Amino acid sequence: MVENYPQLRANEQFNRLMDELGGAPRTASRFERMRYNERIQEYNTGRRQFPGNLTAKVFSFKEYPFFEAPAEARQVPKVNFKPS
């Protein structure tokens, strides 16, 4: 008598999850950094153009630098699914 067991697909799903976990933080942080830098560029451009340049001079508005993530922040965190 031979028992018929269903094929387990957990390994494929687990591999897909690992791929998503590895790429998600980089994608999200890259997207948010891009959005932040776009707003900074808009602010800095408006600060240099008339009439924003007059207001900026009167109230001493400063130009903001673009955000650059440090090298250690670009590393993907390690995820361990093995039981301790």
Side-chain angles (χ1 to χ4, degrees):
M1 181 170 164
V2 176
E3 294 185 27
N4 194 7
Y5 291 105
Q7 293 243 342
L8 297 177
R9 301 282 179 198
N11 196 26
E12 292 175 17
Q13 291 175 352
F14 181 77
N15 288 336
R16 194 173 328 131
L17 172 66
M18 291 300 291
D19 290 341
E20 289 177 15
L21 285 175
R26 288 183 298 214
T27 304
S29 63
R30 187 180 314 133
F31 179 72
E32 292 304 323
R33 183 172 56 242
M34 182 182 68
R35 283 182 37 179
Y36 175 82
N37 285 338
E38 286 173 354
R39 298 303 163 262
I40 291 298
Q41 184 174 11
E42 289 173 7
Y43 168 80
N44 288 339
T45 301
R47 194 185 140 279
R48 284 185 240 125
Q49 294 177 341
F50 183 81
N53 62 350
L54 298 176
T55 307
K57 188 172 185 174
V58 170
F59 292 105
S60 302
F61 290 165
K62 297 180 180 162
E63 188 163 309
Y64 286 101
F66 291 118
F67 178 79
E68 287 294 327
E72 58 270 2
R74 295 180 186 182
Q75 294 177 355
V76 178
K78 303 287 184 208
V79 179
N80 185 6
F81 287 100
K82 295 180 183 177
S84 299

